[in-house]
Amino acid sequence: NTDITELNNLPLHPTGRTPVTCGEKPTDFVFILDSSSTQDNFQKQLDFMTYFVRQFDIGPSDVQVSLIVYSSSGHTIFYLDT
């Protein structure tokens, strides 16, 4: 099992953000998290997603994020245009 809290030790750009270049076009990320796992594992998934998303400027002209949570079936928590 990987402890994702180690991600907090990754070097960041001096502004606190990792330099990211996605070109001229907006980028979309869709996260699909397994809520059927233990609460601890689900929290680790949420923590990773939160850490990852904080590295970007979020908005219609920048990065957009969607979250789908599944157990026996999928449920969209928020859409890319939310």
Side-chain angles (χ1 to χ4, degrees):
N1 291 338
T2 303
D3 182 4
I4 65 167
T5 57
E6 294 174 10
L7 294 174
N8 292 327
N9 298 325
L10 292 175
L12 296 177
H13 190 269
T15 63
R17 292 178 172 253
T18 302
V20 177
T21 303
C22 295
E24 298 294 321
K25 298 180 182 178
T27 300
D28 297 335
F29 290 107
V30 177
F31 290 91
I32 303 173
L33 305 185
D34 179 5
S35 65
S36 67
S37 60
T38 65
Q39 183 62 35
D40 185 49
N41 284 339
F42 184 68
Q43 186 60 52
K44 287 180 181 180
Q45 294 174 68
L46 286 174
D47 292 346
F48 171 79
M49 184 191 72
T50 301
Y51 174 85
F52 185 84
V53 168
R54 286 184 177 165
Q55 309 308 310
F56 301 95
D57 292 323
I58 306 298
S61 299
D62 296 307
V63 172
Q64 296 186 102
V65 178
S66 177
L67 173 60
I68 299 169
V69 175
Y70 75 93
S71 180
S72 57
S73 62
H75 303 280
T76 302
I77 305 302
F78 50 86
Y79 296 90
L80 292 169
D81 61 354
T82 301

